[in-house]
Amino acid sequence: MTLYFLDFVLFAIGIYALVAKRHIVKKILGVAIMEYSVNLFLILIGFKKAGVAPILTKDMDLVTFIKTAVDPLPQALVLTSIVIGLGTLALMVSIAIRLYERYGTFDMHEINRLRG
Amino acid sequence: MDVRLPLFVVTPIFGAIIILLVGKWDKKIFPRVWSIITMAFLLLLIFLTWNKGTLLHFMGGWEPPYGIVLVEDSLSLLILLIINVVGFLSIVFSYSYILRYEDYLRFFSMFLLMIAGMNGVAIAGDLFNLYVFLEIASIASYALVGYGVGPEELEASFKYLILGVLASTLILFGIAIIYAATGSVSMADVARFLINNPGNRAVLLASGFFLMGFSLKAGLVPFHAWLPDAHPAAPAPISAMLSGVLIKVLGIYAMIRVFYHVIGITPMVSQIFIGMGGLSMVVGALMGFGQDDMKRLFAFSSISQMGYVMIGIGLGTPLGIFGALFHLLNHAGYKSLLFLSSGAIERETRTRKLSELGGLREKMPVTSAASVVGSLSISGVPPFNGFWSKLIILLAAFQSRNFLVAGIVVFTAFLTLTYYLRFQKNAIFGSVSEKVKGAHEAPIPMVMPLVIFAIFCLLIGVFNHTIISGIIIPAGQILLDRAGYIMSVLGGV
């Protein structure tokens, strides 16, 4: 339970950096922290203490297999979500570089030609 | 098993890759022609799978609840129809519009990737694939919003990206909680589990995350900050796709699919839908008043019109659902028409400011006529389609005795009419202004989609009964029948 709570704290830190920080790179770091907290949450769902890889070998009976094997599905989901996170991160960083070329600053308060 | 379903996703991705590969030799003509061919093939695919009941495809032969399943029912069909018709006409429009930019290859390949993502969202049968396809469509759209790489485009793109990533992360968190609570990500399996084991508190938390995430994607009012920046900054065909399709598919469609079929609608969620809908309608319409930029005005009116859809869905009565889905279809038609016409006007006059326009009727008669049809439809003038869907939503509000909601619906319709009259008076009619003097009619690939959209608006309005009984009611019945959805996907499993 403590682990889940700490994971939520990590998520909250990510959202805080995303919303409250003015520096673009800090915002991007916030997004990365937020994404990793979700990935961690997915991994925690499938985690078992002293678990084994979910491969059924001949010397293992089904009952101990179900008791000890970790859930493989969240791991597959996390792989996909990490790849997607990489894609967004790359796009974000490249837009940040272009923004710096145009405005000469990373401060979001000075990049304000549009108003919501 | 229907092998045609994966083609909805595979064809546009394949088209995007081919464009980039062949683009080494032909950078100008091939991407434009090939993307039109791809979209025409998708339209053919919809025609082939039209009204065949619920079609299923099990990826790799793994049957649900264990494998990935693609589902095409009447609701998906309505959404696929909107995506691909608007996508086809926007790509035809881009044939001439793209001439003002240098890089054709990436524009068309990202356009097709966006189509692939949205088609995937429409036919996804499990929550995680919904998320993956949603991200494909979103990432392509972030890049397309900043396509002009000017300072304003990049700023809008970055804002949209930050809020979009926040939305996607919230949605993924919701999916993770649902998986932890139910042990499955297949929509039908989760729904069956939740029916058999009601009262799960974790699902409430997941509902909150989904509500925030999908509302951000849909641009509903407390979460609308990105929308009025992103829509005007994007190239006109992309604005038409964003406003006409993307906010509907990634926001509204995904939201109603998850809440009506997977989690199950509760009175509390319905009240939130109605609240956000009412707020979006009024705030969007009021913000629309002060806008001088044509595309910003349309963007705010999109927020307001999405409010109508949310009200219809929140009412939850069959009439409300039919009205909402009908309004979804109508809004895709006339809002895409208005954004495309703003692109044609901007191309000829080099301005989007209403104060600098005037007398377009004399210089660009066809574009002007089409955009007048669009603004009459969106304001709800009787023979056109917007009137009928607003009328149905109004009747649904009266029928369920929500008189305050009915009042807001009427008030917003009045506001919409007012600011669209202002748009017409300043841009289309009046005396010819300085900037309009040199304008000519736009080239045929740009005018043709406008005329087709205008004809759609008129025909859907005149033959509203045929459209409602043929497309809208089957889709609405699918949405209301949660047990039927579970049965049709899982069968007797």
Side-chain angles (χ1 to χ4, degrees):
Chain A
M1 211 55 217
T2 329
L3 284 176
Y4 286 103
F5 178 73
L6 288 176
D7 185 54
F8 268 97
V9 171
L10 197 61
F11 188 69
I13 291 171
I15 289 196
Y16 168 75
L18 184 65
V19 176
K21 289 291 172 193
R22 289 166 60 169
H23 199 278
I24 285 181
V25 178
K26 287 182 183 166
K27 275 184 192 288
I28 293 174
L29 286 177
V31 169
I33 292 172
M34 204 170 63
E35 273 171 1
Y36 280 119
S37 81
V38 178
N39 293 345
L40 192 62
F41 183 73
L42 272 166
I43 285 293
L44 280 176
I45 294 168
F47 176 73
K48 264 179 200 161
K49 230 176 192 168
V52 296
I55 300 165
L56 186 60
T57 47
K58 273 180 187 159
D59 53 333
M60 215 189 282
D61 64 307
L62 218 54
V63 180
T64 48
F65 177 74
I66 291 170
K67 255 183 204 159
T68 55
V70 295
D71 187 354
L73 187 67
Q75 301 178 4
L77 302 188
V78 161
L79 274 181
T80 318
S81 115
I82 287 173
V83 173
I84 293 173
L86 176 75
T88 27
L89 202 65
L91 186 63
M92 249 185 300
V93 171
S94 54
I95 291 179
I97 294 170
R98 286 290 184 95
L99 270 176
Y100 187 78
E101 283 172 5
R102 296 288 185 280
Y103 287 87
T105 176
F106 277 128
D107 191 342
M108 213 50 200
H109 284 209
E110 287 171 32
I111 303 174
N112 59 353
R113 288 202 199 170
L114 305 166
R115 26 197 108 240
Chain B
M1 279 295 269
D2 194 303
V3 288
R4 285 169 296 190
L5 290 191
L7 287 179
F8 278 114
V9 181
V10 173
T11 317
I13 291 183
F14 177 74
I17 294 168
I18 289 287
I19 284 176
L20 286 177
L21 286 179
V22 181
K24 276 191 169 179
W25 295 283
D26 185 0
K27 286 187 169 56
K28 299 289 169 187
I29 306 292
F30 179 79
R32 299 192 274 175
V33 176
W34 184 255
S35 47
I36 290 177
I37 293 172
T38 309
M39 291 311 296
F41 179 76
L42 286 172
L43 288 180
L44 178 74
L45 213 58
I46 291 182
F47 179 72
L48 288 176
T49 55
W50 188 259
N51 270 347
K52 294 274 195 316
T54 301
L55 300 175
L56 298 174
H57 180 78
F58 309 136
M59 300 294 278
W62 293 85
E63 294 197 359
Y66 305 108
I68 295 169
V69 59
L70 301 177
V71 187
E72 187 194 320
D73 50 21
S74 305
L75 181 60
S76 303
L77 202 61
L78 171 71
I79 300 295
L80 283 174
L81 187 74
I82 293 175
I83 298 168
N84 293 300
V85 169
V86 175
F88 177 73
L89 292 173
S90 299
I91 282 211
V92 172
F93 183 88
S94 312
Y95 189 88
S96 296
Y97 185 84
I98 193 67
L99 294 172
R100 55 190 291 180
Y101 295 104
E102 282 166 12
D103 192 348
Y104 297 8
L105 299 178
R106 282 167 194 80
F107 180 86
F108 284 106
S109 54
M110 272 186 305
F111 200 121
L112 289 178
L113 277 181
M114 191 164 80
I115 299 272
M118 287 191 290
N119 279 345
V121 169
I123 58 173
D126 68 296
L127 290 168
F128 194 73
N129 273 297
L130 183 86
Y131 166 74
V132 171
F133 287 129
L134 186 132
E135 280 288 73
I136 293 176
S138 303
I139 293 175
S141 72
Y142 306 144
L144 283 169
V145 165
Y147 194 73
V149 293
E152 287 172 11
E153 282 93 340
L154 288 170
E155 186 191 334
S157 174
F158 192 76
K159 265 187 192 172
Y160 176 31
L161 210 166
I162 288 287
L163 290 175
V165 169
L166 177 61
S168 314
T169 316
L170 289 170
I171 292 166
L172 183 61
F173 217 131
I175 292 168
I177 293 169
I178 288 279
Y179 178 72
T182 65
S184 177
V185 285
S186 159
M187 287 188 193
D189 199 32
V190 171
R192 190 174 59 177
F193 182 90
L194 290 178
I195 287 176
N196 294 337
N197 307 280
N200 195 328
R201 298 266 287 283
V203 173
L204 210 61
L205 182 62
S207 307
F209 279 120
F210 282 137
L211 210 55
M212 281 193 282
F214 291 131
S215 308
L216 261 168
K217 292 277 183 202
L220 295 170
V221 151
F223 308 101
H224 70 290
W226 62 272
L227 195 146
D229 287 342
H231 282 44
I238 301 305
S239 313
M241 285 304 286
L242 284 181
S243 180
V245 184
L246 193 106
I247 58 173
K248 298 190 179 69
V249 178
L250 303 193
I252 309 252
Y253 165 77
M255 180 142 64
I256 57 180
R257 183 67 100 180
V258 165
F259 275 103
Y260 271 82
H261 279 166
V262 181
I263 294 180
I265 194 95
T266 56
M268 188 185 71
V269 175
S270 298
Q271 290 297 324
I272 294 174
F273 280 0
I274 292 181
M276 280 202 298
L279 209 60
S280 304
M281 277 162 74
V282 176
V283 173
L286 288 176
M287 296 288 281
F289 261 99
Q291 302 305 326
D292 192 33
D293 185 333
M294 197 162 47
K295 281 172 101 175
R296 265 183 103 79
L297 190 150
F298 296 154
F300 277 112
S301 111
S302 281
I303 298 177
S304 165
Q305 300 297 313
M306 283 305 103
Y308 276 97
V309 177
M310 289 312 291
I311 290 241
I313 287 163
L315 289 172
T317 56
L319 200 61
I321 301 273
F322 298 152
L325 293 176
F326 193 32
H327 201 67
L328 214 62
L329 175 70
N330 292 341
H331 182 259
Y334 48 65
K335 191 47 69 64
S336 311
L337 162 59
L338 286 169
F339 269 117
L340 291 182
S341 72
S342 82
I345 292 168
E346 193 190 356
R347 181 181 186 272
E348 295 300 320
T349 63
R350 312 240 163 251
T351 182
R352 296 198 306 243
K353 289 199 162 63
L354 290 178
S355 51
E356 291 176 357
L357 290 169
L360 283 169
R361 179 180 54 134
E362 289 169 28
K363 298 287 180 186
M364 304 171 74
V366 185
T367 310
S368 305
S371 66
V372 167
V373 170
S375 29
L376 288 179
S377 306
I378 198 170
S379 343
V381 175
F384 298 105
N385 54 6
F387 170 73
W388 300 106
S389 48
K390 287 186 184 182
L391 184 68
I392 295 173
I393 292 172
L394 182 62
L395 288 177
F398 270 118
Q399 194 193 38
S400 56
R401 309 217 158 267
N402 280 312
F403 296 114
L404 178 66
V405 172
I408 294 175
V409 168
V410 174
F411 177 61
T412 312
F414 167 70
L415 287 182
T416 313
L417 182 63
T418 322
Y419 64 76
Y420 273 99
L421 279 180
R422 186 173 144 260
F423 158 69
Q424 290 186 28
K425 178 178 153 285
N426 285 354
I428 311 287
F429 299 101
S431 54
V432 177
S433 74
E434 194 62 35
K435 294 235 176 185
V436 180
K437 267 182 189 158
H440 304 283
E441 190 55 79
I444 288 175
M446 289 172 83
V447 172
M448 202 173 62
L450 296 178
V451 175
I452 294 174
F453 272 129
I455 292 171
F456 277 162
C457 285
L458 190 60
L459 285 186
I460 294 176
V462 174
F463 299 105
N464 59 73
H465 182 73
T466 324
I467 302 287
I468 291 175
S469 57
I471 305 174
I472 306 296
I473 289 185
Q477 279 165 344
I478 290 277
L479 192 61
L480 287 165
D481 187 7
R482 191 178 172 203
Y485 174 76
I486 298 170
M487 268 307 287
S488 63
V489 175
L490 293 181
V493 184

